[in-house]
């Protein structure tokens, strides 16, 4: 049976978000627009994914606190969880880690190195992936392992059956360019430079990172027993 996965969509309604995750995850995906205040009723899923967002996890917004609390409930019930970008930061924060502003943007295709965790099975140790963030996990939660990094800092962690990834392996070129052109607070020359690098060749380099989603699906499928709903 295909696993049931809840996607906590924090993208403020960006249609690329559910489109990309539906393409990458071979699962029955239920999408909940948490940034619009829509949450699952209970925890009757095999796993959860937390998306990226233009918000910061430390913003004082009711939906962010509600998402944090729901995620803590899922972790307490031993639901496997995967966080992407903002989701990575939220999971780290929910577990007791620290998220802070970087004072700069990491934006565009970057090289990241992983430490061999099974979420990266089939992914080269040094791999290409698209990034877009100005916040970062600066201190891991107690008991968490750093599983990916680059010269900007922590790019991935694992805490038991919770994984966080700072990058966006789900992106396609259309999404990458949409996101970059939406950052109209950045200098135009910076935006054009990053968009010029969004090519089919660069995207092809990043395809290996998509194995992460199949590895997560397998981790969800191989859970010892399903989570109990409330």
């Amino acid at each position: 049976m295909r696993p049931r996965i809840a996607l906590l969509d924090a993208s403020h309604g960006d249609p690329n978000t559910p489109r990309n995750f539906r393409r990458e995850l071979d699962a029955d995906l239920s999408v909940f627009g948490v940034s619009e205040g829509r949450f699952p009723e209970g925890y009757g899923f095999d796993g959860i994914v937390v998306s990226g967002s233009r918000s910061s996890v430390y913003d004082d917004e009711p939906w962010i606190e509600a998402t944090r609390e729901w995620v803590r409930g899922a972790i307490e019930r031993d639901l496997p969880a995967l966080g992407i970008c903002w989701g990575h930061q939220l999971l780290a924060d929910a577990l007791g880690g620290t998220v802070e502003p970087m004072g700069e943007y990491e934006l565009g295709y970057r090289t990241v190195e992983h430490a061999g965790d099974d979420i990266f099975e089939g992914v080269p140790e040094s791999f290409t992936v698209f990034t877009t963030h100005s916040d970062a996990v600066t201190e891991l939660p107690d008991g968490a392992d750093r599983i990916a990094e680059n010269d900007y800092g922590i790019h991935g962690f694992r805490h038991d059956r919770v994984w966080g990834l700072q990058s966006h392996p789900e992106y396609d070129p259309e999404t990458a360019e949409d996101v970059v052109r939406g950052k109209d607070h950045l200098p135009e020359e910076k935006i054009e430079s990053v968009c010029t690098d969004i090519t089919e060749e660069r995207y092809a380099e990043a395809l290996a990172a998509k194995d992460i989603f199949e590895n997560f699906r397998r981790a969800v499928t191989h859970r010892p027993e399903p989570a109990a709903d409330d």
Side-chain angles (χ1 to χ4, degrees):
M1 293 179 60
R2 283 156 55 92
R4 295 188 65 224
I5 295 179
L7 173 62
L8 305 190
D9 181 357
S11 70
H12 298 273
D14 183 353
N16 286 318
T17 298
R19 177 179 65 83
N20 286 330
F21 283 106
R22 288 190 189 282
R23 181 187 63 243
E24 301 300 339
L25 279 166
D26 183 17
D28 290 331
L29 199 66
S30 298
V31 180
F32 300 91
V34 293
S35 47
E36 285 76 47
R38 297 192 297 273
F39 292 87
E41 295 182 2
Y43 295 91
F45 300 93
D46 299 304
I48 68 169
V49 174
V50 188
S51 82
S53 180
R54 66 172 182 258
S55 298
S56 294
V57 299
Y58 47 77
D59 288 344
D60 185 18
E61 298 184 28
W63 72 268
I64 295 176
E65 178 58 28
T67 304
R68 184 182 293 111
E69 289 306 309
W70 194 92
V71 161
R72 284 174 175 155
I75 294 171
E76 289 172 359
R77 290 163 174 80
D78 197 32
L79 281 174
L82 174 65
I84 299 295
C85 197
W86 183 88
H88 153 80
Q89 297 165 13
L90 183 83
L91 290 174
D93 176 78
L95 287 164
T98 302
V99 177
E100 296 178 300
M102 298 164 59
E104 61 177 323
Y105 256 99
E106 183 179 16
L107 184 63
Y109 286 107
R110 301 287 181 184
T111 299
V112 176
E113 295 186 353
H114 71 75
D117 187 86
D118 56 8
I119 199 72
F120 293 113
E121 183 178 344
V123 180
E125 181 179 343
S126 180
F127 63 99
T128 299
V129 76
F130 199 84
T131 65
T132 169
H133 65 111
S134 58
D135 292 334
V137 176
T138 56
E139 185 176 343
L140 290 174
D142 288 345
D145 294 319
R146 182 185 305 213
I147 60 172
E149 63 185 349
N150 71 0
D151 52 353
Y152 282 85
I154 297 170
H155 252 268
F157 79 91
R158 180 176 185 173
H159 187 282
D160 194 16
R161 297 173 65 78
V162 175
W163 292 268
L165 301 174
Q166 182 58 73
S167 57
H168 282 279
E170 82 281 12
Y171 274 13
D172 55 17
E174 174 189 344
T175 305
E177 183 163 355
D178 282 353
V179 168
V180 174
R181 294 200 180 280
K183 297 188 181 301
D184 51 13
H185 58 289
L186 295 179
E188 184 176 352
E189 58 269 24
K190 173 68 172 178
I191 291 173
E192 291 304 322
S193 174
V194 175
C195 286
T196 298
D197 194 42
I198 300 173
T199 64
E200 288 299 326
E201 291 77 15
R202 293 291 271 161
Y203 178 61
E205 292 176 19
L207 287 176
K210 293 182 180 293
D211 284 355
I212 289 163
F213 296 110
E214 175 59 18
N215 294 337
F216 179 68
R217 188 197 66 81
R218 286 206 303 265
V220 167
T221 303
H222 295 156
R223 290 184 66 238
E225 54 186 56
D229 202 349
D230 278 354

